[in-house]
Amino acid sequence: MKKTLFYSVFTFLFFTQITFSQVAEDTEIKKMITEIKAENLEATVRKLVSFGTRHTLSDTKSKTKGIGAAQQWVKSEFDKYALESNGRLTSVIDYFTVKADGKRINKDSQLGNVMATLKGTDPNDNRVLIISGHLDSRVSDVMNIKSDAPGANDDASGVAAVMELAKVMSKRSFPATIIFVAVVGEEQGLVGARHLAETAKESNWNIMAMLNNDMIGNSLSSGTKLRDNTQIRVFSETIPFLETEEEAKMRKATSRDNDSPSRLLARYIKTVTEQYVDQLTVKLVYRNDRFLRGGDHTPFSQNGFTAVRFCEMNENFDHQHQDLRTENGIKYGDLVEFMDFDYLRKNTCSNLATLANLAWSPKAPTNAGIEVKNLSNSSTFSWNAPEGKTPYGYQILMRETSSSHWEKTFFVKDTKAEIPYSKDNYFFAVQAVDELGHASLPVFPVPIR
């Protein structure tokens, strides 16, 4: 009887060291979200549409029409934001030459991604976050460089989000570096994104996350006529493109097919979005992109980086890759009049909540593991504290194997913890967290024998 009582008291005291995580909200993130305005996003989209066509191979000399004029205007806006950044924000048009491919590039061409870099304030923090939208547009014929191609939603919406975030976030400082980029060549085969991803790999950038925003401003579907401005899709790869043989063995052994780094990022986006952004739910889509289609995050995934795509819940194919015309009473074309700017505002806020939380977060714990040497109906974890600033604590995330998203969160202060849930029945991850609730990306624990 005494032994039973002692064990019960010991168990109670042990498990009281673990608490259910209380959701903390950063008032500065909430303030930034209020600064994202639908009318500002609309003004940016209308300005981008005013360049006529932004086809990648269109005019680069005119000051008012074509891709060249659009690039110069975006850079000039970045330069305006830089004036309020205390020297932290700098911009450049990263020019590069692409060879003719006999398909969508009919001649050797000089292209350019417009980039604004908000330099991190911690010299010991080399983490990089990238957010992108594609500047180029097209009509029905992907090689038509003359006809008006407004590209209001595809993808002035993504570029407007990137620019608005650069304006708002550059007024603050973050330990990690954030790169805001309007890439070109998406419609010609993800050319600009591939150039940037390969540059990042060659330069050994420590990219924590890449967020691609492509078509995030339309809420009405063609065909079904469904309207929904309360959900945004986030696409994430299942098996990493550059998975090694050893990583494949571990994935199969631990059944982590749904826990790739990109998928862990997608769940992170869902968590912070639904915490900070009213009337918006993230729908996790378990594929790299739409069926047999791709986007600018794909070259980053192919180069081993953690990358996802934001895309509206319902696409409207009457207003996507269409010549401007009216047929049988249907108006075709990617025009401003078909957009939902409050929906675009909410999707921009989702990106903001993600970037700000990650840029302010501690680094992720390392060597996260789960003990398997003994059979037990509890699960014991251990990990190493990250380099840099000591975290306030750590969160163990848990979900059932059939669940798409985390269902429970346990907060601990130590780098080892035991929780009364069996590893046979659940998936887990570990993340570091600071006093304001900024959490690192989760780390999937590997077996410790």
Side-chain angles (χ1 to χ4, degrees):
M1 180 67 180
K2 289 182 179 180
K3 287 184 178 179
T4 302
L5 179 61
F6 174 79
Y7 180 77
S8 298
V9 172
F10 174 81
T11 302
F12 173 77
L13 290 174
F14 180 82
F15 285 124
T16 54
Q17 303 304 306
I18 300 172
T19 60
F20 286 100
S21 180
Q22 300 298 313
V23 177
E25 287 194 340
D26 184 346
T27 56
E28 190 62 21
I29 293 178
K30 295 177 75 173
K31 183 176 185 297
M32 282 192 286
I33 283 175
T34 66
E35 295 173 20
I36 303 295
K37 304 294 186 183
E39 54 266 32
N40 295 343
L41 293 163
E42 180 175 358
T44 299
V45 169
R46 288 186 179 278
K47 179 63 178 181
L48 290 170
V49 167
S50 75
F51 294 107
T53 180
R54 303 188 307 279
H55 192 286
T56 296
L57 304 178
S58 62
D59 193 336
T60 60
K61 304 298 184 183
S62 171
K63 296 185 182 299
T64 57
K65 298 294 181 182
I67 189 67
Q71 289 169 321
Q72 294 297 330
W73 179 76
V74 173
K75 185 182 185 304
S76 70
E77 291 298 295
F78 282 153
D79 290 340
K80 290 179 185 176
Y81 312 154
L83 298 176
E84 296 187 62
S85 72
N86 292 322
R88 292 187 303 274
L89 187 74
T90 57
S91 72
V92 66
I93 300 179
D94 178 23
Y95 289 109
F96 60 99
T97 299
V98 60
K99 298 290 186 182
D101 62 6
K103 299 176 182 178
R104 296 192 174 192
I105 305 290
N106 57 9
K107 60 180 180 180
D108 294 357
S109 302
Q110 184 185 64
L111 309 183
N113 295 326
V114 191
M115 300 171 57
T117 300
L118 183 62
K119 183 66 176 175
T121 56
D122 185 347
N124 297 314
D125 191 340
N126 68 349
R127 293 177 300 171
V128 175
L129 293 159
I130 297 178
I131 179 171
S132 79
H134 71 84
L135 187 58
D136 56 306
S137 63
R138 59 166 286 190
V139 288
S140 300
D141 178 1
V142 71
M143 297 306 296
N144 181 345
I145 68 173
K146 297 294 185 182
S147 297
D148 277 354
N153 187 46
D154 185 13
D155 182 34
S157 65
V159 174
V162 168
M163 295 175 66
E164 189 73 359
L165 290 177
K167 178 169 62 176
V168 170
M169 299 184 77
S170 61
K171 298 174 184 176
R172 281 83 176 176
S173 59
F174 302 88
T177 293
I178 307 174
I179 298 176
F180 307 88
V181 56
V183 299
V184 294
E186 194 271 350
E187 304 291 5
Q188 308 310 117
L190 315 179
V191 179
R194 182 168 294 107
H195 166 74
L196 182 56
E198 291 174 353
T199 297
K201 187 172 183 179
E202 292 168 3
S203 303
N204 294 315
W205 292 1
N206 181 19
I207 297 178
M208 183 172 23
M210 186 274 180
L211 311 180
N212 171 33
N213 287 264
D214 194 348
M215 297 189 300
I216 59 170
N218 160 71
S219 59
L220 176 66
S221 70
S222 56
T224 60
K225 301 302 179 184
L226 294 174
R227 184 180 291 280
D228 185 357
N229 71 352
T230 65
Q231 293 189 88
I232 179 73
R233 292 180 293 176
V234 174
F235 292 86
S236 58
E237 66 181 0
T238 301
I239 299 171
F241 280 94
L242 297 186
E243 182 182 66
T244 66
E245 185 176 341
E246 286 301 311
E247 289 169 340
K249 288 180 180 178
M250 182 60 69
R251 171 176 55 80
K252 294 172 184 177
T254 56
S255 302
R256 64 169 297 178
D257 290 348
N258 286 324
D259 288 88
S260 66
S262 293
R263 195 141 295 168
L264 291 170
L265 169 59
R267 292 194 186 99
Y268 186 102
I269 293 167
K270 181 176 177 67
T271 297
V272 298
T273 296
E274 294 173 16
Q275 178 183 355
Y276 282 99
V277 186
D278 293 332
Q279 300 296 322
L280 187 66
T281 300
V282 172
K283 185 175 181 63
L284 301 174
V285 184
Y286 279 7
R287 51 169 46 114
N288 180 61
D289 207 314
R290 299 145 307 155
F291 191 61
L292 301 182
R293 300 163 77 187
D296 285 320
H297 59 299
T298 303
F300 285 86
S301 296
Q302 291 170 337
N303 279 278
F305 297 117
T306 300
V308 298
R309 174 184 179 151
F310 287 76
C311 189
E312 61 205 19
M313 188 64 207
N314 298 297
E315 293 183 56
N316 196 313
F317 301 109
D318 294 342
H319 309 140
Q320 185 181 136
H321 298 178
Q322 293 285 352
D323 291 335
L324 301 179
R325 67 194 191 280
T326 300
E327 290 181 358
N328 300 319
I330 298 175
K331 193 171 185 178
Y332 291 89
D334 190 357
L335 297 163
V336 174
E337 64 193 80
F338 299 118
M339 292 184 63
D340 180 338
F341 287 102
D342 193 57
Y343 182 54
L344 176 55
R345 177 194 61 81
K346 289 191 288 185
N347 294 333
T348 304
C349 291
S350 172
N351 279 266
L352 187 149
T354 303
L355 288 174
N357 272 284
L358 284 174
W360 273 323
S361 74
K363 294 181 180 179
T366 60
N367 299 320
I370 182 169
E371 293 186 2
V372 296
K373 59 184 177 181
N374 296 316
L375 295 177
S376 171
N377 284 314
S378 295
S379 297
T380 301
F381 306 88
S382 63
W383 55 87
N384 293 339
E387 295 179 353
K389 183 181 177 181
T390 303
Y392 175 70
Y394 302 90
Q395 294 183 148
I396 299 172
L397 309 176
M398 186 185 84
R399 73 180 196 279
E400 294 205 33
T401 60
S402 59
S403 176
S404 65
H405 191 53
W406 305 115
E407 297 169 309
K408 285 184 182 294
T409 304
F410 306 91
F411 176 79
V412 299
K413 296 287 286 185
D414 201 359
T415 56
K416 185 171 183 178
E418 180 181 353
I419 62 174
Y421 293 89
S422 171
K423 56 187 169 293
D424 295 333
N425 302 330
Y426 300 94
F427 287 125
F428 303 95
V430 182
Q431 59 187 169
V433 63
D434 70 8
E435 295 91 336
L436 292 176
H438 307 131
S440 71
L441 284 176
V443 179
F444 192 89
V446 300
I448 302 173
R449 300 186 183 279

